Amino acid sequence: FSFGWNAFGQCGTGDREDRAKPFQITALPNTRVVDVAAGEVHSLCVTGLTLHTSCISTHLVTFAVVVVDCGEVWGWGSNMYGQLGLEEDVALLEEYERPDSPPDGERKKSIEENLMHLSPCLLTSLRGEIVQQVVCHWSHSAVITGICISSL
């Protein structure tokens, strides 16, 4: 769920409407969110880290198998400073910040619109990393990674 000021899509609701009360983020159905962080104009969450337990019992032996699904990071809202870490936005960011030939008014507005993600997007640049926690500030984010034991 998210709520509050949503001018940049930072609530992840798929639009820019402010939410005065909690609104469910439907773009992540059947997903267990284990950590969330919000900046001024963007948000990130970690999914997974869910324990799946399977127990087998016979007359002689009882044992359990535990598998840990390692976390993914999803982000939404403004990516004007690259704070969402989305690889697909790198070319737009470079064009927007080009000092020798900055984009004109219409192109600048188009780039700003394309750098706004109203629904959660998977950060594929972190694929393979074991994400445990995310933190956000106004124009940047940080991710804590660690070791994941996939089976015992």
Side-chain angles (χ1 to χ4, degrees):
F1 289 84
S2 66
F3 44 93
W5 183 53
N6 195 28
F8 295 90
Q10 65 268 39
C11 288
T13 56
D15 57 38
R16 293 184 188 174
E17 294 180 35
D18 295 342
R19 305 286 193 220
K21 58 184 180 179
F23 185 87
Q24 187 168 8
I25 300 173
T26 58
L28 295 171
N30 303 317
T31 303
R32 181 167 186 244
V33 175
V34 296
D35 189 29
V36 67
E40 185 171 335
V41 294
H42 71 292
S43 303
L44 297 174
C45 72
V46 179
T47 63
L49 299 175
T50 308
L51 293 178
H52 299 284
T53 305
S54 175
C55 296
I56 298 173
S57 178
T58 66
H59 295 331
L60 302 174
V61 179
T62 301
F63 65 96
V65 177
V66 179
V67 179
V68 179
D69 293 334
C70 299
E72 294 180 326
V73 177
W74 294 77
W76 57 91
S78 173
N79 197 29
M80 284 300 300
Y81 301 99
Q83 67 267 41
L84 295 180
L86 299 172
E87 289 182 46
E88 61 267 25
D89 287 349
V90 170
L92 285 173
L93 287 164
E94 288 173 352
E95 180 182 350
Y96 189 83
E97 296 171 354
R98 191 175 305 143
D100 57 333
S101 61
D104 64 13
E106 280 302 310
R107 181 62 184 145
K108 182 178 178 180
K109 186 175 180 179
S110 173
I111 292 172
E112 289 170 352
E113 287 293 320
N114 285 315
L115 289 173
M116 216 169 296
H117 299 276
L118 305 181
S119 297
C121 301
L122 179 63
L123 277 71
T124 57
S125 58
L126 291 172
R127 189 167 278 140
E129 295 292 333
I130 313 311
V131 178
Q132 296 178 338
Q133 185 178 4
V134 292
V135 292
C136 297
H137 198 269
W138 185 76
S139 61
H140 67 284
S141 303
V143 176
I144 297 173
T145 61
I147 298 172
C148 179
I149 299 171
S150 60
S151 63
L152 296 175

